[in-house]
Amino acid sequence: MIRDFEYLRAGSLPEALDYLARYGERAKILCGGQSLLILMRQGLVQPEFLIDIKGLEELNFVELTAEKGLRLGATTTHRTIEKSPLIKEHFPLLAEMEKNLASIQTRNWGTIGGNLAHADPAGDPAPVLIAMKAKVILQKKEEKRVLELEDFFLDFFETTLAPDELLREIEVPPIPEQTGVYYEKFTILKSDQGIVSVAGLINLDDGLRCREARIVLGGAAPKPLRAKKAEKVLCGEKIDSKLLEKAGEEASRESEPVSDIHASEEYRRYLVKFLVKKIVGRAWAKAKELAENKGG
Amino acid sequence: MEKRLIRIKVNGDYYELYIKPKKLLVEVLRDELELTGTKRGCNTGSCGACTVLLNGHSVKSCSVLALQADGAEIITVEGLENSGRLSPLQISFLDHGAFQCGFCTPGMLISAVALLRENPNPSEEEIRGGIHGNLCRCTGYNSIVRAIKAVAEGKYREEEK
Amino acid sequence: MRKKYTVINTPIHNIDGVAKITGRAKYTFDIKLPQMLYGKILRSPYPHARILKIDTSRAEKLPGVKAVVTGKDTRGVKQGIWRRYKELCDEEILAREKVRYIGEPVAAVAAVDEDTAEEALDLIDVEYEILPAVFEPIEAIKEGAPQLHENAERNINVTRHIEWGDVDEGFKQSDYVREDWFRCSSQAHVCMETHCAVASFTPEGKLTLWTSTQSHYYIQVLLADMLGLRESDIRVISRYTGGGFGSKFELDSAQFCSALLSMKLRRPVKIVLNREEEFMATKRRTPMFYYLRTGVKKDGRFVAKEARVFTEGGAYTAMGATALYLTGFFQAFPYVWPNYRYDGYRVYTNTEPTSAMRGFGAPQATFCAETQIELIADELGIDSIEIRRKNAMYPGYEVPGQAWIQSCGLRECLDRIEEWIKKRGELPPHRGIGIAAYGFMSGGIFNWFDTPYAFSSALVKINIDGKVDLFVGSQDMGQGSNTTLAMICAEELGVRVEDIRIHMGDTDICPVDLGAWGSRETLMQGNAVKMAAADAKRQILEFAAAKLSPNIVYDLDIKDRWVHLIARPERGLSYFDVVKEAIRGKDGQPIIGRGHYTPHRKGMISPAYSFGVQAVEVEVEQETGKIILHNCVTAHDCGQVINPLGVQGQLEGAIAMAAGYGFTEDLPMDEGKILNPNLVDYKILRAPDMPKTEVMEVETYEPEGPFGAKEAGEGLTNPTAGAVANAVYRAVGVSIKNLPLTAEKVLKAIKEKENKKEDEGRNEGI
């Protein structure tokens, strides 16, 4: 059951930061609450104070600039991201990923900031955003810091957020030309929580060699995992099916999946290999298509 | 912990309530306002039986603190009828037998309403996606999909007038 | 001769529909009474332990707590639904000396609100002596295994034996004999409304219990014994039940503990099980370990079958004894087996008790039987439909010593499915169509409950305005029995459904019916309703005959509110007018019709059997083993369809549940602890996961059923797991014999097959 707590509604970001500075250790940020309330009901989290930032419109935005790329406010709902014409046009994979996340009800109220702060290693947004080289802006009362999203996660449901700090914004740099980026999660039932998921980004140079590869695994480690060894296999090379096979094997080796009632470790490793091959293959094919069609 | 005042509009009526901060929206609707149409079926936000409209969006009322609904407009299943006249969707549910035990039905109707408001012409895939968040153990969903489709196809235009 | 019906077999609105779709329907979950308290149950964390001491003093002192009860506050009665066999009544519900599964209740608290009650649980100190536990039937049956119940040596709870012909001789005469082992998993009912009860005991010494149940009569009787009350001093009310599927016709912890607390406090007490308790501490489908040895002739004729089954009983008998019998009985369905032998053993284990779930042992039996038949068909080079057709049951067949099959549309079902498969034509790659045939009972003939009442009764009362009050003992838990029964009543009486007002779900008012389980309502309650309506009609017709005074060769009937001569329908009177005159003629008394039904001399199982054949088209992802359902077509024979929307709904719901049993649902355990007691980790199908469904009605006429009707809702759950398994076999050539067919299992089987092929290829090269 949910224990009693003191409810603090933040009318502005400074007010929220002020509350955090004062109550940090004894408080939790409430936004969409789609994950937090379940934890509280199970008794896993029992904060004395809840700082409600759901109403902070100043953190509810989707903006696109040429230099910075995409800026997402932390209190932006999944549904907003899913439906945003801006995102559909410039970062369609984000909208696609959101479409298959949980259910409409969850997406209507749950937020991207809340999702990332919850740090579920099987969550969908993190692998996609990490593949896209997203950064997060963390804020405390007197201090702001910017991190690569992949460095934001520490462990199962654990981030680097200090008790008096909140996640305020996510930045996704513009996707360079000649880039393909895809995401897929393996589920038994549709739109379920993924058993394992893979996000892959491939950027090709004019010689159709892989200039950059980013492969991120979800549900295959205590946190979203960059399969760096697998990426190395591809970098600088002309990608073919043999290379994809090797990258898949490498990713499978470097993943750290667990066995649970849904899948054994062995099967998860197998799925990593399978999905990496598939997703990176698609990303490469797309990048190749874009490169070949460039300049008419 | 002190109780807080919230002002909430439910099915067109205004209410002022004093509640503990930890009260969930579903508890306020069912226990304070005695609108027991909205149900609860789980503790993990999985089943959707508690779905209501909050400012026009479908949400799981078990996963929204009542205080967060302060100033909001809520529609529950009780608010779908108009002075006792059933809504087109409700009539379609009757015509298609789109319910059996009925426990998931209020939440299902709300999700269907939300779907059709946003997308008056959904494909079958979109309909299924629209009720994905609502579990039903009795019907196997297909009758519900048929009922929603019939409304989308305009078979109940007369009722809408 | 084809009969034409006015009311039945027409799609109509469910008569509880408006209440359900407007949120007006009040379920037990919604009941709130003045002065009501909230209860919570403390449950054993150990699978097997002796209770040494329970100290409730700290809990009692918590402000807001009104009472705490433990096993010491009970009469110490061991109850069970098999009342005729005292040794099978083994469950105290609130444990006194020993706990036998994780989740077994040891104490219950009533407090001013739920949170206080929950807090109080933490303040109850229980001292346990942990005992060694056993979890698998194969372990529990060994010498020296921990014993759960004193009287059950080697933990054998019940055994069952069914036999006819000479199986050993039959194997000698067979051209081909094969044996296979199977493992059938458990499954959770996952009713949307969890188990709940509101008990209100008042100073007059009467108990009213609102509860979510499939049988208010059973609950009334079982509670009376447990509490030491007179049966008729207990009123059980269950107007709306949010799903049952077999989980809600036994006495449960919410009902018993709330009643106990209310008796102590003389205040209403409400207990609602949360979803976790629902998974862990109610009952579940019986897991089974199956051995089948089957002998056939090379032309596909079945000769002999031997079945040996061990079922995981869990901690108590519950309805497991029935599941044990029915699985053995339906193992021989729906075919003619000249020789058959079944031996079943139900073994106690320290796990959640296994009991009744939609299909009641038949889905397990059908999965095993149909999977094996497919392999046999392949081995002999015989078409899947053909082998089934060759051996199909037929009208007039007698299952030796067990059952008479009267109506049976199985052959036609096979034809229709064959037609569909042909029409479907060539399939896209990686797909396969699997079929499975089934038969199921329409209510059981057994009285192990030991009721002195007719199995089902009904009362019809016609008022001055022609409105008919129909009193039934059945329970509508969503399967639509209220509507079906109203239609039967209207059809028989000759009025419209809107003329019927049904009274259901209140033991104070309604006559007795054994409840909605074993697919009995349409046939048994339906027959009782038809009889009551016929009785009332007869009285009306007496007055109409007097009024019309037709020649003696003419007889009368009522159709659509028109009382008329059957041969000369234009000669008649308005039903409403005749009713008025009939009531006047009876000294101002409303017309009362009475009906009842108890099966007599209907064989060992059921008066009638439904049949069907299902084809499932699946796609298997070669690289991952994932199964995707595309099509599910069912040709079924439920006799005369009464409520067509109801039947279609039952079919589609059954597919979702049975497909889940086939490949997504399971209750994995670790040392008796269920690892997925929530709706995130327990996977049930959602709307996007459903295949396209098609239902083909094969109409027959069942003499035992009202207007020729038989059951529909439960039999339809039988074939799907088997059909899915067979479809996977057709798609990728692997036959998996243990449920559920997870992607990982399928992939493993595919890889093994590939490796085997490689090895064979290599060997051939030598």
Side-chain angles (χ1 to χ4, degrees):
Chain A
M1 69 184 204
I2 299 180
R3 306 255 159 199
D4 281 317
F5 53 83
E6 191 73 54
Y7 175 83
L8 305 165
R9 175 173 293 152
S12 67
L13 179 57
E15 201 182 335
L17 297 172
D18 201 58
Y19 282 136
L20 271 174
R22 258 193 285 158
Y23 303 113
E25 296 275 354
R26 303 148 73 192
K28 274 256 167 229
I29 296 276
L30 171 72
C31 196
Q34 300 300 282
S35 307
L36 182 63
L37 288 176
I38 297 176
L39 294 177
M40 286 174 72
R41 199 167 13 241
Q42 291 169 343
L44 296 170
V45 154
Q46 289 174 5
E48 267 179 72
F49 298 90
L50 270 195
I51 304 166
D52 187 355
I53 63 167
K54 184 79 162 106
L56 290 189
E57 280 306 306
E58 63 214 87
L59 294 185
N60 180 12
F61 60 85
V62 174
E63 266 172 35
L64 191 67
T65 59
E67 330 80 51
K68 280 203 156 166
L70 182 67
R71 288 176 61 228
L72 292 172
T75 66
T76 309
T77 65
H78 294 286
R79 193 70 165 158
T80 302
I81 297 173
E82 182 190 341
K83 296 282 175 190
S84 155
L86 258 179
I87 292 180
K88 278 193 187 152
E89 194 186 331
H90 298 278
F91 295 84
L93 183 64
L94 272 180
E96 182 72 36
M97 172 274 296
E98 290 288 10
K99 199 161 156 211
N100 292 310
L101 184 147
S103 62
I104 294 178
Q105 294 96 315
T106 307
R107 304 203 289 278
N108 274 334
W109 200 249
T111 63
I112 186 71
N115 177 285
L116 294 175
H118 182 55
D120 184 345
D124 296 313
V128 175
L129 289 167
I130 293 173
M132 292 177 168
K133 297 202 259 192
K135 288 189 166 57
V136 284
I137 300 180
L138 310 178
Q139 177 103 54
K140 336 179 160 176
K141 191 166 176 185
E142 301 296 326
E143 200 189 303
K144 194 166 96 166
R145 59 182 177 133
V146 183
L147 280 183
E148 294 284 332
L149 180 58
E150 66 188 276
D151 298 325
F152 177 66
F153 301 108
L154 296 179
D155 207 334
F156 287 109
F157 305 102
E158 209 185 304
T159 69
T160 174
L161 276 172
D164 57 351
E165 198 174 25
L166 61 72
L167 168 68
R168 70 171 279 176
E169 204 175 300
I170 300 116
E171 267 177 23
V172 188
I175 299 185
E177 287 186 354
Q178 293 164 196
T179 301
V181 59
Y182 287 97
Y183 174 70
E184 190 171 310
K185 60 180 166 179
F186 181 77
T187 61
I188 298 299
L189 298 175
K190 297 211 172 82
S191 295
D192 201 1
Q193 198 174 48
I195 291 178
V196 147
S197 67
V198 170
L201 181 147
I202 298 289
N203 171 248
L204 299 178
D205 63 24
D206 290 327
L208 296 184
R209 241 172 268 272
C210 175
R211 179 158 44 204
E212 183 167 28
R214 287 177 76 86
I215 302 174
V216 192
L217 313 178
K223 54 179 189 165
L225 187 67
R226 282 258 322 266
K228 293 195 172 140
K229 294 204 182 107
E231 291 172 0
K232 268 212 183 71
V233 166
L234 303 167
C235 267
E237 304 289 334
K238 276 205 163 153
I239 299 179
D240 60 18
S241 55
K242 250 178 78 184
L243 218 57
L244 284 175
E245 176 84 23
K246 209 169 159 222
E249 274 164 17
E250 204 56 59
S252 178
R253 261 194 292 269
E254 63 183 313
S255 64
E256 305 156 28
V258 294
S259 280
D260 64 16
I261 58 171
H262 301 300
S264 67
E265 180 196 322
E266 192 189 328
Y267 187 59
R268 282 200 158 93
R269 281 192 194 281
Y270 173 85
L271 287 173
V272 165
K273 176 175 162 188
F274 165 71
L275 278 177
V276 164
K277 277 167 58 184
K278 185 176 178 190
I279 292 303
V280 173
R282 281 176 74 190
W284 161 57
K286 181 69 178 181
K288 194 155 160 274
E289 182 194 317
L290 290 169
E292 282 167 351
N293 293 340
K294 188 172 90 165
Chain B
M1 302 296 152
E2 268 180 41
K3 288 191 176 182
R4 305 279 289 252
L5 180 71
I6 61 164
R7 288 183 183 83
I8 190 171
K9 184 177 179 191
V10 183
N11 299 331
D13 294 325
Y14 289 94
Y15 299 92
E16 248 180 37
L17 300 161
Y18 259 110
I19 52 162
K20 277 185 165 191
K22 71 173 186 171
K23 280 284 170 201
L24 303 165
L25 178 57
V26 66
E27 290 167 336
V28 162
L29 293 171
R30 285 180 52 84
D31 303 332
E32 311 291 327
L33 302 182
E34 308 205 295
L35 294 168
T36 58
T38 308
K39 311 294 182 202
R40 289 183 84 166
C42 74
N43 275 337
T44 47
S46 312
C47 73
C50 64
T51 307
V52 300
L53 287 182
L54 192 159
N55 293 339
H57 299 294
S58 61
V59 296
K60 285 177 273 204
S61 58
C62 74
S63 303
V64 176
L65 276 192
L67 286 179
Q68 289 193 310
D70 186 18
E73 240 184 84
I74 310 286
I75 310 269
T76 69
V77 65
E78 291 92 341
L80 293 183
E81 56 190 80
N82 195 345
S83 304
R85 278 186 64 225
L86 299 179
S87 63
L89 199 55
Q90 287 169 304
I91 300 175
S92 186
F93 265 52
L94 283 173
D95 287 343
H96 292 85
F99 57 89
Q100 288 178 35
C101 83
F103 204 75
C104 78
T105 307
M108 194 69 78
L109 280 165
I110 296 289
S111 285
V113 167
L115 168 73
L116 291 176
R117 278 189 192 178
E118 202 178 281
N119 184 357
N121 230 325
S123 66
E124 182 172 325
E125 201 183 321
E126 285 168 331
I127 293 177
R128 290 183 185 276
I131 58 171
H132 167 259
N134 294 75
L135 277 180
C136 173
R137 195 51 158 165
C138 294
T139 66
Y141 308 99
N142 288 1
S143 56
I144 298 172
V145 172
R146 287 192 290 270
I148 298 172
K149 204 181 225 178
V151 176
E153 286 171 351
K155 299 205 165 95
Y156 295 87
R157 284 238 176 80
E158 281 182 30
E159 264 71 48
E160 286 176 54
K161 289 187 191 142
Chain C
M1 197 171 80
R2 264 297 168 89
K3 285 192 174 185
K4 191 164 190 284
Y5 297 116
T6 325
V7 177
I8 65 175
N9 205 10
T10 317
I12 59 162
H13 287 181
N14 185 296
I15 63 177
D16 293 324
V18 172
K20 287 178 177 175
I21 56 156
T22 59
R24 286 178 171 82
K26 280 243 185 277
Y27 299 76
T28 303
F29 189 76
D30 304 319
I31 304 276
K32 196 165 158 188
L33 297 173
Q35 294 284 290
M36 189 172 79
L37 299 166
Y38 296 83
K40 285 274 174 205
I41 298 173
L42 181 67
R43 299 177 179 280
S44 165
Y46 303 111
H48 201 194
R50 227 181 292 279
I51 300 173
L52 297 174
K53 196 166 102 166
I54 306 185
D55 182 357
T56 61
S57 54
R58 284 197 303 142
E60 286 171 56
K61 287 200 196 85
L62 185 68
V65 169
K66 299 298 179 186
V68 184
V69 292
T70 66
K72 292 213 168 67
D73 298 295
T74 69
R75 294 176 73 227
V77 174
K78 290 193 183 187
Q79 59 85 49
I81 206 143
W82 276 65
R83 297 192 319 152
R84 278 186 78 178
Y85 305 89
K86 282 294 162 212
E87 71 277 12
L88 297 183
C89 297
D90 54 11
E91 192 175 0
E92 292 169 323
I93 301 184
L94 195 52
R96 284 159 67 87
E97 278 159 24
K98 223 166 83 136
V99 289
R100 297 178 176 85
Y101 70 97
I102 295 176
E104 182 158 11
V106 299
V109 174
V112 291
D113 58 56
E114 266 190 87
D115 286 347
T116 307
E118 204 176 310
E119 241 185 277
L121 295 184
D122 288 334
L123 299 174
I124 301 174
D125 301 308
V126 186
E127 215 181 296
Y128 292 100
E129 179 197 329
I130 300 177
L131 300 169
V134 68
F135 308 110
E136 296 286 335
I138 209 83
E139 294 299 320
I141 210 170
K142 289 188 176 146
E143 295 272 9
Q147 187 145 327
L148 273 84
H149 295 270
E150 274 160 23
N151 60 334
E153 215 183 288
R154 297 180 69 180
N155 290 313
I156 296 178
N157 169 217
V158 278
T159 62
R160 288 287 180 264
H161 179 81
I162 302 174
E163 184 168 1
W164 63 80
D166 184 342
V167 162
D168 299 308
E169 184 57 39
F171 286 134
K172 288 202 193 108
Q173 290 172 10
S174 304
D175 295 324
Y176 172 62
V177 177
R178 70 172 291 142
E179 34 178 41
D180 294 285
W181 286 261
F182 302 86
R183 188 210 160 247
C184 301
S185 44
S186 192
Q187 188 180 18
H189 307 81
V190 193
C191 306
M192 289 314 293
E193 184 191 26
T194 56
H195 286 63
C196 51
V198 178
S200 180
F201 189 79
T202 52
E204 305 108 302
K206 294 203 190 333
L207 175 72
T208 306
L209 185 85
W210 289 261
T211 188
S212 187
T213 183
Q214 293 171 235
S215 173
H216 30 276
Y217 170 65
Y218 277 176
I219 304 307
Q220 180 193 36
V221 172
L222 292 169
L223 258 185
D225 197 20
M226 290 293 270
L227 300 172
L229 293 174
R230 198 172 174 177
E231 253 173 56
S232 305
D233 284 337
I234 298 180
R235 178 183 189 185
V236 180
I237 301 176
S238 57
R239 183 57 181 86
Y240 296 99
T241 292
F245 313 113
S247 69
K248 290 178 181 166
F249 61 96
E250 300 172 67
L251 188 60
D252 65 57
S253 57
Q255 293 156 346
F256 184 54
C257 294
S258 63
L260 213 56
L261 286 163
S262 184
M263 278 181 81
K264 195 163 184 186
L265 294 164
R266 264 60 169 162
R267 278 175 74 167
V269 177
K270 180 175 187 177
I271 297 185
V272 178
L273 260 51
N274 64 36
R275 188 52 71 180
E276 199 179 303
E277 287 176 289
E278 188 76 7
F279 273 110
M280 288 190 340
T282 55
K283 306 250 169 33
R284 60 194 171 102
R285 189 183 287 287
T286 308
M288 300 187 180
F289 296 88
Y290 244 99
Y291 165 77
L292 290 183
R293 187 166 178 231
T294 301
V296 305
K297 289 276 193 223
K298 59 173 178 274
D299 65 356
R301 262 177 299 141
F302 294 166
V303 182
K305 187 192 278 206
E306 178 182 10
R308 256 182 270 146
V309 181
F310 277 83
T311 73
E312 181 189 326
Y316 297 103
T317 308
M319 285 299 295
T322 309
L324 186 73
Y325 193 84
L326 293 179
T327 199
F329 177 74
F330 286 110
Q331 182 52 237
F333 260 64
Y335 307 106
V336 174
W337 288 95
N339 306 284
Y340 180 67
R341 183 167 66 216
Y342 163 74
D343 284 289
Y345 306 85
R346 187 174 190 272
V347 185
Y348 283 125
T349 54
N350 290 112
T351 55
E352 184 183 37
T354 66
S355 189
M357 180 168 173
R358 199 168 180 185
F360 226 154
Q364 296 93 315
T366 310
F367 165 71
C368 301
E370 294 296 304
T371 300
Q372 192 184 56
I373 286 172
E374 208 64 11
L375 295 170
I376 293 173
D378 254 16
E379 194 65 42
L380 299 177
I382 299 177
D383 172 69
S384 300
I385 298 269
E386 191 51 40
I387 196 172
R388 290 170 168 88
R389 188 182 277 133
K390 213 166 221 154
N391 296 285
M393 281 181 175
Y394 50 86
Y397 172 64
E398 184 193 323
V399 184
Q402 300 284 318
W404 292 282
I405 309 297
Q406 296 190 74
S407 67
C408 175
L410 182 59
R411 293 250 162 92
E412 202 184 321
C413 292
L414 286 164
D415 292 340
R416 302 286 290 272
I417 293 296
E418 187 176 42
E419 216 178 286
W420 181 83
I421 296 176
K422 271 205 186 86
K423 221 168 75 186
R424 182 80 184 97
E426 201 180 313
L427 296 175
H430 310 308
R431 292 204 196 182
I433 293 177
I435 64 169
Y438 74 90
F440 199 67
M441 59 197 275
S442 302
I445 56 94
F446 4 82
N447 190 13
W448 25 249
F449 190 74
D450 209 17
T451 182
Y453 286 110
F455 275 23
S456 192
S457 298
L459 202 85
V460 157
K461 173 169 83 95
I462 307 183
N463 303 295
I464 197 71
D465 59 358
K467 189 85 179 187
V468 181
D469 282 302
L470 173 63
F471 297 85
V472 294
S474 52
Q475 179 69 47
D476 193 325
M477 50 173 174
Q479 87 282 38
S481 58
N482 282 353
T483 305
T484 304
L485 296 167
M487 290 171 91
I488 289 174
C489 185
E491 182 70 52
E492 181 63 31
L493 196 48
V495 297
R496 298 186 186 159
V497 174
E498 54 258 43
D499 296 320
I500 313 285
R501 178 172 50 206
I502 199 163
H503 300 271
M504 180 226 67
D506 186 340
T507 55
D508 260 16
I509 299 167
C510 300
V512 168
D513 170 84
L514 302 187
W517 55 273
S519 287
R520 45 185 308 290
E521 300 295 26
T522 298
L523 190 139
M524 299 202 179
Q525 179 73 88
N527 274 336
V529 165
K530 188 163 187 279
M531 183 176 161
D535 183 12
K537 182 164 76 172
R538 189 189 39 77
Q539 296 170 56
I540 296 175
L541 292 183
E542 269 177 25
F543 287 89
K547 187 91 186 230
L548 291 168
S549 203
N551 187 294
I552 196 66
V553 303
Y554 291 121
D555 52 1
L556 287 87
D557 199 6
I558 314 177
K559 280 251 180 292
D560 200 29
R561 301 163 164 176
W562 182 241
V563 185
H564 59 281
L565 275 56
I566 297 177
R568 295 274 161 91
E570 68 279 8
R571 274 186 67 192
L573 302 159
S574 153
Y575 158 81
F576 297 106
D577 291 338
V578 183
V579 162
K580 286 194 181 82
E581 300 192 1
I583 289 179
R584 179 62 188 88
K586 284 174 177 293
D587 290 321
Q589 290 299 293
I591 300 159
I592 307 254
R594 298 174 63 172
H596 59 88
Y597 179 85
T598 304
H600 296 294
R601 288 165 290 119
K602 303 291 181 195
M604 300 288 287
I605 310 291
S606 179
Y609 300 86
S610 63
F611 292 92
V613 181
Q614 189 170 78
V616 172
E617 181 185 328
V618 309
E619 180 186 337
V620 179
E621 258 180 29
Q622 302 278 92
E623 308 95 338
T624 63
K626 179 170 165 179
I627 295 172
I628 301 163
L629 300 177
H630 285 285
N631 274 302
C632 182
V633 183
T634 316
H636 81 117
D637 156 33
C638 63
Q640 170 67 55
V641 171
I642 307 281
N643 178 359
L645 277 184
V647 171
Q648 181 170 47
Q650 285 285 287
L651 167 69
E652 291 168 343
I655 289 171
M657 185 176 279
Y661 186 53
F663 74 107
T664 70
E665 297 181 40
D666 197 6
L667 287 169
M669 295 197 206
D670 180 30
E671 306 264 294
K673 180 163 188 224
I674 291 176
L675 298 173
N676 58 346
N678 61 70
L679 291 171
V680 177
D681 297 313
Y682 187 89
K683 310 281 187 192
I684 81 173
L685 263 64
R686 293 177 182 259
D689 305 303
M690 278 294 283
K692 286 209 264 302
T693 54
E694 199 185 316
V695 55
M696 302 189 268
E697 298 293 345
V698 168
E699 203 180 280
T700 63
Y701 183 84
E702 173 51 57
E704 298 293 331
F707 299 108
K710 301 186 279 193
E711 78 87 38
E714 205 173 349
L716 290 164
T717 326
N718 293 356
T720 317
V724 168
N726 285 339
V728 170
Y729 176 59
R730 292 293 163 207
V732 289
V734 297
S735 180
I736 297 173
K737 302 198 189 113
N738 83 77
L739 292 171
L741 267 65
T742 61
E744 196 169 341
K745 265 185 211 164
V746 174
L747 182 69
K748 198 161 171 212
I750 292 175
K751 294 283 179 210
E752 272 169 18
K753 180 162 175 268
E754 280 172 9
N755 291 341
K756 215 163 136 205
K757 260 211 192 110
E758 259 181 53
D759 288 340
E760 281 169 5
R762 247 181 268 127
N763 290 340
E764 263 160 39
I766 294 173

